[in-house]
Amino acid sequence: MEKKKALLLNVAYYGFFAVVIYLAWNYAVPVLLPFIFAFCITLFLRSPADWLSEKLHCRSKKKWVAVILLILLYLIFFGAIFLGGGKAVSTVADFITNLPELYRTQIVPFFNWISREIGNILEDTDASLAVEIQNGIQQFTMNMGEHLSSLSVNIVTALSEFVTGIPSLVVKIVIMVVASFYMTTDYDKILEIARKYLPEKAKRVIRDVRKYGWNTLKAYLKSYFLLFLLTFAELTVGLLFLRIPYAVFIALGIAVFDILPVLGTGGILLPWTVVMLVLGDYPMAVGILLLYIVITVVRNSLEPKIVGKQVGLHPLITLIAMFVGLQLGGLPGLIAAPMSIVILVNMEKSGAIHLFEKSGEHGEEG
């Protein structure tokens, strides 16, 4: 009976903890985002500052080395934005605005040509089928044009809203920059205050979260680098087999593109298949399609296993965590959900937290 009671208390406690995290993620984190980014930047520069100050034999000036690195980081980042950001945004905006017109003048004539060719091929064998296919192509062309017009309007609206929100964004960036300088110069004082006022258990939990979180992040990077190498190898072999010129460079580009979870290899291989079909190169189209299917099957089969092995979770648990995280939090959730489980499991093993009562702790009552 005591075991059941303890289990229910644990479930209620950690359920409440999960609700608090969810509410904080949705309401507190957006407000505190400039300070969170500032702290992450400060933490990121800490190791390079330690290493550089040791190499320069000026550990007593480590704070100012960190400040110099922070200045260089901001100069590079904002310099890149000012030099290329405005041009890139205007180019993308012009392209999106002209997308419906480009579709009407470039793509629609291409589809009309396909429709005429199909009509010429089938007019002597099955005229009714030719008419149905031509009507289908025409309907597809109209629907695609409507979707592109709607997409263009939505993106332009989103860009307009983004431009409208630039003053607010600038304020947040300024706050982040100022806060990062304060945190960099007073990093040791902040840690001292945290050590002084935080309870010992809270400090132990923070140390464990930092330790296991960093280890898990390194495991993630290693696992996805392995997946990148696997995809690159598959693409290289497949494209070389299909006698594609510059196969290695094309495979490298597609493998980099595959890192983006929303797009993946299908964002390139599937349109490539359609182009080959339209051009009448059916063996090449079939080959590229088979290559895409093989890569997709291998990726979906091995990703949970590779990620699970690196982070120390069962592949099924990894798959469930990745799916739930993706549904709830998008790309950040895809990464954060398995990481959170790994951190909790390792903290449980180290004794930092107790998710479940150990057997025999409350005797043998039932």
Side-chain angles (χ1 to χ4, degrees):
M1 187 65 186
E2 289 295 326
K3 290 181 182 179
K4 295 178 181 177
K5 182 179 178 182
L7 177 61
L8 290 174
L9 287 174
N10 272 316
V11 170
Y13 174 76
Y14 290 108
F16 173 76
F17 188 63
V19 171
V20 170
I21 291 176
Y22 175 79
L23 293 175
W25 180 267
N26 283 276
Y27 298 103
V29 169
V31 176
L32 298 175
L33 208 55
F35 302 98
I36 294 172
F37 277 130
F39 182 74
C40 290
I41 293 170
T42 302
L43 205 59
F44 172 75
L45 291 177
R46 202 63 193 173
S47 293
D50 289 341
W51 178 84
L52 192 58
S53 60
E54 186 173 341
K55 290 294 182 181
L56 297 175
H57 305 289
C58 57
R59 291 194 62 83
S60 60
K61 305 293 184 181
K62 181 174 61 176
K63 175 174 68 175
W64 301 112
V65 173
V67 170
I68 292 171
L69 289 178
L70 184 63
I71 293 172
L72 290 175
L73 177 67
Y74 282 138
L75 285 175
I76 293 171
F77 178 74
F78 290 115
I81 289 178
F82 286 128
L83 291 176
K87 182 64 176 178
V89 170
S90 63
T91 302
V92 171
D94 290 340
F95 174 75
I96 292 170
T97 303
N98 296 326
L99 193 58
E101 181 64 20
L102 289 172
Y103 179 78
R104 187 181 65 81
T105 58
Q106 303 293 329
I107 307 299
V108 171
F110 176 69
F111 280 120
N112 290 337
W113 174 79
I114 294 176
S115 179
R116 287 195 303 271
E117 291 297 315
I118 291 175
N120 293 334
I121 294 171
L122 296 178
E123 63 180 353
D124 296 329
T125 56
D126 195 335
S128 60
L129 177 61
V131 171
E132 290 182 11
I133 293 176
Q134 288 175 328
N135 290 338
I137 293 175
Q138 184 178 6
Q139 186 64 41
F140 171 79
T141 305
M142 292 175 59
N143 292 338
M144 184 63 70
E146 293 174 359
H147 286 310
L148 285 177
S149 298
S150 176
L151 177 65
S152 177
V153 170
N154 292 336
I155 294 177
V156 169
T157 303
L159 286 174
S160 300
E161 293 175 355
F162 173 76
V163 171
T164 305
I166 283 180
S168 174
L169 179 63
V170 169
V171 170
K172 292 178 181 178
I173 290 175
V174 170
I175 291 174
M176 180 195 73
V177 171
V178 173
S180 65
F181 276 102
Y182 279 126
M183 290 180 184
T184 300
T185 55
D186 295 329
Y187 183 80
D188 293 329
K189 292 181 182 178
I190 293 171
L191 288 186
E192 187 61 34
I193 292 172
R195 292 191 189 101
K196 183 177 180 181
Y197 291 104
L198 281 178
E200 187 59 37
K201 185 176 181 180
K203 287 189 282 187
R204 188 168 64 250
V205 169
I206 290 173
R207 283 196 300 266
D208 287 339
V209 168
R210 182 178 176 183
K211 172 186 173 183
Y212 296 120
W214 175 242
N215 290 338
T216 306
L217 181 60
K218 288 192 292 186
Y220 257 101
L221 294 175
K222 182 179 179 181
S223 60
Y224 278 103
F225 181 69
L226 291 174
L227 288 170
F228 165 79
L229 291 179
L230 177 63
T231 303
F232 173 64
E234 291 173 319
L235 285 165
T236 301
V237 172
L239 295 179
L240 287 173
F241 180 78
L242 294 172
R243 301 180 184 277
I244 302 293
Y246 309 105
V248 176
F249 297 103
I250 295 174
L252 180 62
I254 298 176
V256 172
F257 193 75
D258 184 58
I259 296 174
L260 304 174
V262 177
L263 301 172
T265 55
I268 294 179
L269 294 183
L270 290 180
W272 194 353
T273 301
V274 173
V275 170
M276 291 297 102
L277 285 172
V278 170
L279 296 177
D281 194 344
Y282 302 117
M284 182 65 71
V286 172
I288 295 173
L289 181 60
L290 288 175
L291 178 60
Y292 167 72
I293 293 172
V294 169
I295 291 173
T296 302
V297 171
V298 172
R299 174 68 178 258
N300 291 337
S301 301
L302 294 184
E303 183 172 7
K305 294 182 181 179
I306 293 177
V307 175
K309 182 179 179 180
Q310 294 297 324
V311 301
L313 287 180
H314 190 279
L316 179 60
I317 301 298
T318 306
L319 181 62
I320 294 172
M322 291 171 67
F323 177 77
V324 173
L326 183 64
Q327 296 299 313
L328 295 179
L331 179 58
L334 177 71
I335 299 172
M339 282 185 63
S340 301
I341 294 176
V342 172
I343 292 171
L344 288 174
V345 169
N346 282 287
M347 290 174 68
E348 164 70 16
K349 289 179 180 178
S350 68
I353 60 173
H354 297 290
L355 297 174
F356 303 102
E357 297 294 336
K358 303 298 186 288
S359 59
E361 189 173 338
H362 296 283
E364 299 297 329
E365 296 183 50

